[in-house]
Amino acid sequence: MDPLKKYAQFSGRARRKEFWMFVLFSWIISMVIGIVDRILGTTNSTGNGLLGTIFSLAILIPSLAVAARRLHDTNRSALWLLLIFAIVIGWIVLIVFYAQEGNAGDNQYGPDPKAAERFGAMGGHGEPGYPGYPPAPQGGPQG
């Protein structure tokens, strides 16, 4: 639950795994809290429960922060989060952005969060980043 440790940290980058695991656990917890709300009878006429509302407010800032860091990993500004207000089309675009592989290597938002993993996958040899990244210089001997 790294996003909760980085409660309001909007700078830096978040891997796909960090983002989607946060979404999964938030959704599961929301479902459980919704069931508890119904059992306790703390839901109102619209179906919203007291505990669910408190939980939603508690994870609002971490949700925005991890979404901003996820966009940073794909080398996009957090201003893209404003697409949330473009109801259907905006949500689809954001889901596509969240699902994309992050940029290999450092970008303007910080170091690659997968660099250590990529470096370890190469047996500790070579540079961090994707195998073959950056591309080797092309061309023959100069003469």
Side-chain angles (χ1 to χ4, degrees):
M1 296 303 299
D2 263 358
L4 293 179
K5 293 177 187 173
K6 301 174 185 174
Y7 188 84
Q9 182 180 345
F10 287 81
S11 61
R13 296 168 62 174
R15 296 175 54 180
R16 281 187 296 190
K17 181 179 179 181
E18 177 183 350
F19 175 81
W20 289 111
M21 292 303 282
F22 180 76
V23 169
L24 176 66
F25 285 120
S26 297
W27 183 80
I28 290 171
I29 292 169
S30 293
M31 293 295 113
V32 171
I33 288 175
I35 292 168
V36 171
D37 267 333
R38 286 184 192 90
I39 290 171
L40 295 176
T42 57
T43 56
N44 60 20
S45 60
T46 62
N48 295 327
L50 176 64
L51 299 176
T53 302
I54 292 170
F55 177 73
S56 296
L57 290 173
I59 67 164
L60 176 64
I61 292 174
S63 297
L64 292 172
V66 74
R69 290 194 315 272
R70 180 71 205 122
L71 289 170
H72 289 169
D73 194 39
T74 61
N75 208 23
R76 290 182 177 84
S77 167
L79 290 175
W80 282 97
L81 284 174
L82 295 175
L83 284 176
I84 290 171
F85 298 115
I87 309 296
V88 176
I89 300 298
W91 297 347
I92 293 169
V93 170
L94 284 173
I95 289 170
V96 169
F97 289 167
Y98 297 148
Q100 289 179 342
E101 176 74 27
N103 291 23
D106 297 352
N107 69 17
Q108 65 181 344
Y109 299 104
D112 183 357
K114 281 181 86 172
E117 181 179 306
R118 291 181 183 126
F119 184 66
M122 293 185 293
H125 298 90
E127 293 292 320
Y130 287 113
Y133 180 85
Q138 299 295 317
Q142 298 184 10

